[in-house]
Amino acid sequence: MEKAEWLSQVRKGILEYSILLMIKNKSIYGYELITAMNRHDVLSTTEGTLYPLLKRLEKEELITATWKETTPGVPPRKYYDLTTEGCSVLDMMNREWDCLISAIVQIKSEEECVSDE
Amino acid sequence: MNEFQLKEIEAYLKKVSDGLYQLPDSERNEILGEIRNHIHEAVDMQEPVQAVIDKLGPPQKLAQSYVNIHYINRSNMSFSGVLNNMVFFLSAGLSSLIIVPTLISFILLFLLIASASISVGILGLFTDLPSNTGIMIGSEEPLTGFTALIAGLILCVIFFLLSYLSWKLLKIYAIFISRRYQKLRMGK
């Protein structure tokens, strides 16, 4: 399996999770979000994926948007925040994420034991 | 930002907008507003306009991703949703079966009568028409000469207008059906 193919499969679910995490930290607008995301090579994504994804999260009422005028001459920014529902979904994701990681860690350690024998 | 860059940005947004034609105005404007801001922010950070646009991807594809999300969230497969669909397609299907052919035959029939009237009118200029043609203007005498031509012209205009009216009705009916269909898809 190609690295790119595997990463794109894994990223699909994680992208939503990381977006919610970033929005939880502070109100954030699209350009800032994608710039922050692309700082991590493994999470880097395209605008064409990210913006529609934000729209979906907004429709699902996990995030909510406010338009803010900032710099003169620049069109207003659309800032995102988590809704109450978004917060509880994120809490659920945090718990499941920990379970997922410990499951993987456990599987890997078992494998090591087998290879040690 | 110079005028050429602004034009480039707006041309891209226009194409995205075209791809979003099915969405309600408010939603479309919100999407375009966000993308417009994105491009301006990026260009302010010294990214070239064309590079920013390339990263956003083909406008039609970007629009399609938004449209897909719009319909996924509104997919109306509940009992009442399915019932609404059935009522719409049955009523629209049955009414179209009658209304559309009727209006089309009206259009053709009236056009035919209109052209017949003018032909008979012209014919009347040169020869005597049968005696019963006078009935059209309440006279016992057959129509001759210019009277025939004028009567023919008037009838031609009347039937042409009737034909045009039928055409208009057909258009109104088609628009009405497509509006109802769009509303149904939007889940309103």
Side-chain angles (χ1 to χ4, degrees), chain A residues 29-31 34 46-48 51-56 58-60 65 67 70 73-78 80, chain B residues 27 29-31 33-38 40-42 44-45 47 55-56 62 65-66 69-70 73-74:
Chain A
Y29 60 98
Y31 181 72
I34 197 155
T46 66
E47 287 80 349
Y51 281 106
L53 188 55
L54 283 169
K55 173 55 74 186
R56 187 155 67 76
E58 195 185 349
K59 287 238 170 215
E60 287 169 0
W67 288 90
T70 47
V74 175
R77 287 174 181 167
K78 191 179 182 185
Y80 292 99
Chain B
E27 180 141 3
N29 290 334
E30 180 133 357
I31 293 168
E34 184 169 37
I35 297 170
R36 181 178 288 115
N37 171 264
H38 171 90
H40 280 258
E41 301 279 356
D44 272 10
M45 300 304 280
E47 290 187 49
K55 277 203 283 178
L56 281 162
L62 182 63
S65 323
Y66 276 111
I69 285 164
H70 189 80
N73 277 305
R74 301 233 183 199

Side-chain angles (χ1 to χ4, degrees), chain A residues 3-82:
Chain A
K3 176 181 154 192
E5 188 195 336
W6 184 71
L7 270 181
S8 88
Q9 281 182 25
V10 174
R11 249 200 312 246
K12 261 177 202 149
I14 296 179
L15 209 53
E16 284 178 36
Y17 181 35
S18 30
I19 290 172
L20 292 178
L21 277 172
M22 283 185 185
I23 296 177
K24 163 115 189 176
N25 291 339
K26 66 175 183 122
S27 295
I28 196 168
Y29 60 98
Y31 181 72
E32 195 185 9
L33 184 68
I34 197 155
T35 315
M37 201 73 100
N38 286 346
R39 258 181 234 130
H40 309 275
D41 275 344
V42 72
L43 288 177
S44 76
T45 178
T46 66
E47 287 80 349
T49 309
L50 188 84
Y51 281 106
L53 188 55
L54 283 169
K55 173 55 74 186
R56 187 155 67 76
L57 294 173
E58 195 185 349
K59 287 238 170 215
E60 287 169 0
E61 294 179 354
L62 300 183
I63 60 179
T64 157
T66 347
W67 288 90
K68 276 182 202 154
E69 288 279 357
T70 47
T71 342
V74 175
R77 287 174 181 167
K78 191 179 182 185
Y79 277 92
Y80 292 99
D81 286 290
L82 286 194

